[in-house]
Amino acid sequence: MRYLVAFRASARIPLLQTGKTALATVAAWLVAGALIRGELPTFAAIAALLVVQPSLNQTLARAIERSLGVVAGVLVAYVVGIVFGGGYWIVLAAIVIAIGLAWLFRLTPTTSVQVPISAMLVLSIGMSTPGYAADRIIETVVGAAIGVAVNIFVVPPISVEPARRAVDALLAETADRIDAIALALTRAQTPQALEELLLLSRLLIPMGAKADAALTSADESLSINPQRGRHQPGLDEAIQLRARLARLTTRTLAMTRTLHDRFSPELVDEPTVTALAEETRRAAHDLRLQRLDHQAPADDASAAAEPPALTAPITVASPDPQHWILIGSLLEDLRRIREEITGEEAM
């Protein structure tokens, strides 16, 4: 059974998209069948089936690719038929020529596949059926147009909220990692604990990639979408926050790496470290307040009255020579984290 995993997706296609695909296919079949008598409107149904995509931008692109592929394939078949006439080997020649032309003109994968398929069908079936080529072009255009129309007018797909949730999840995890640094500064750490601290911080990188992918999907979902004006501000806010989180992630990883490489049990006894840990914890609290839903966590509500991170200078007593590099590095990274959270310019 484990071999079947390769044929299954990690998640189901949204039910709404499945319904719209079915609706577009049925509508294309009925409309094309009413317009063109004789042959079953297979091309129209296939076009509608392939055109409906998760975003309007992708749907329109797929419709254009499909239509151009059919037209180009029909033209190839027409020219080959005029030059070489009919015959068994002419179909194979047309397929090879269509593949070569698709490569020569750098057509997209969808169009590159459609050109030889259309050429093959026209030469193998259309030679004995008058008007076959023209009918197939009309069918394809009708099916593609219906696919686009269904995706536009039947609940246009919008992916802004999933993108905002992905950015919020990254923000929350970044704040947790900053909190973990603050906690690590207040107690002795074993090598295993420091290794876990570094490993968990590195997980911010794939979370950032996931947020970027969600933002890209959201932007595509708003392209040529009639509801773009209403949802664009929310997407812009998420994009701006993601840019800030990219820098915050870098600083958080740097602090964790410094702590991992230079931590020693005597560090918690340094006078400056207690203040540094407190300001780091406040930075995590203030970062959580930047979430896109603008709501502080329920268990952090009592901290709402706390001053922002690093509101007062930290008095740095002369540390042990073994610790001054660690403390200085953490202070500088924390200063930059605070600037990202508050939006202040670096001094």
Side-chain angles (χ1 to χ4, degrees):
M1 294 296 293
R2 66 178 182 273
Y3 299 108
L4 296 178
V5 175
F7 301 98
R8 300 185 64 188
S10 58
R12 287 188 176 90
I13 296 174
L15 184 59
L16 177 61
Q17 183 181 343
T18 302
K20 289 196 293 186
T21 301
L23 175 61
T25 304
V26 172
W29 180 280
L30 296 177
V31 172
L35 292 175
I36 303 173
R37 301 292 181 177
E39 296 285 337
L40 294 176
T42 308
F43 272 56
I46 292 175
L49 185 66
L50 297 178
V51 158
V52 178
Q53 298 294 310
S55 72
L56 293 178
N57 191 38
Q58 294 171 337
T59 298
L60 182 60
R62 187 63 62 87
I64 295 174
E65 290 172 346
R66 177 86 180 169
S67 300
L68 288 178
V70 171
V71 172
V74 169
L75 291 176
V76 169
Y78 181 74
V79 172
V80 170
I82 291 178
V83 175
F84 300 104
Y88 180 82
W89 296 103
I90 298 303
V91 178
L92 292 179
I95 293 173
V96 173
I97 293 172
I99 293 174
L101 289 175
W103 173 84
L104 181 64
F105 290 102
R106 298 181 182 180
L107 301 180
T108 63
T110 299
T111 307
S112 298
V113 172
Q114 186 60 57
V115 174
I117 289 176
S118 298
M120 176 186 65
L121 291 175
V122 168
L123 287 175
S124 60
I125 301 176
M127 298 299 292
S128 58
T129 306
Y132 180 86
D135 289 346
R136 298 300 76 79
I137 291 177
I138 295 173
E139 270 189 38
T140 300
V141 172
V142 168
I146 289 177
V148 173
V150 167
N151 219 17
I152 289 177
F153 296 108
V154 181
V155 192
I158 297 173
S159 304
V160 173
E161 281 308 312
R164 288 170 64 89
R165 288 196 297 270
V167 174
D168 269 346
L170 177 62
L171 182 148
E173 186 61 25
T174 303
D176 287 345
R177 294 304 96 220
I178 296 174
D179 253 341
I181 294 172
L183 183 62
L185 289 170
T186 62
R187 62 184 66 176
Q189 299 292 311
T190 64
Q192 293 79 8
L194 290 171
E195 195 66 33
E196 181 181 0
L197 191 70
L198 183 60
L199 178 62
L200 291 175
S201 290
R202 285 173 173 168
L203 293 178
L204 293 174
I205 297 175
M207 285 193 69
K210 181 179 179 180
D212 290 337
L215 289 171
T216 299
S217 177
D219 185 60
E220 288 183 353
S221 73
L222 292 184
S223 181
I224 70 170
N225 194 309
Q227 301 184 40
R228 182 184 184 96
R230 182 153 61 96
H231 294 276
Q232 188 65 47
L235 178 58
D236 290 340
E237 185 183 18
I239 292 174
Q240 293 170 6
L241 180 56
R242 171 64 184 108
R244 293 169 57 199
L245 286 175
R247 297 185 288 271
L248 283 168
T249 297
T250 300
R251 296 300 170 194
T252 303
L253 285 169
M255 290 183 74
T256 307
R257 186 75 205 190
T258 302
L259 196 60
H260 173 274
D261 293 347
R262 294 186 171 274
F263 185 87
S264 65
E266 298 82 11
L267 181 67
V268 296
D269 297 325
E270 286 286 350
T272 306
V273 171
T274 301
L276 178 58
E278 175 61 19
E279 296 301 335
T280 303
R281 187 188 66 78
R282 289 185 177 185
H285 162 263
D286 290 346
L287 178 57
R288 291 190 179 95
L289 296 181
Q290 305 296 315
R291 296 194 310 174
L292 292 171
D293 60 10
H294 304 294
Q295 294 177 3
D299 58 353
D300 216 15
S302 61
E306 290 183 5
L310 295 180
T311 50
I314 295 178
T315 301
V316 181
S318 297
D320 186 285
Q322 182 183 355
H323 302 145
W324 72 270
I325 295 179
L326 170 61
I327 293 175
S329 177
L330 292 178
L331 283 171
E332 176 60 14
D333 282 326
L334 182 58
R335 181 185 70 82
R336 296 186 180 188
I337 285 176
R338 181 258 189 183
E339 288 171 351
E340 289 295 338
I341 293 174
T342 61
E344 295 181 4
E345 295 290 335
M347 299 300 293

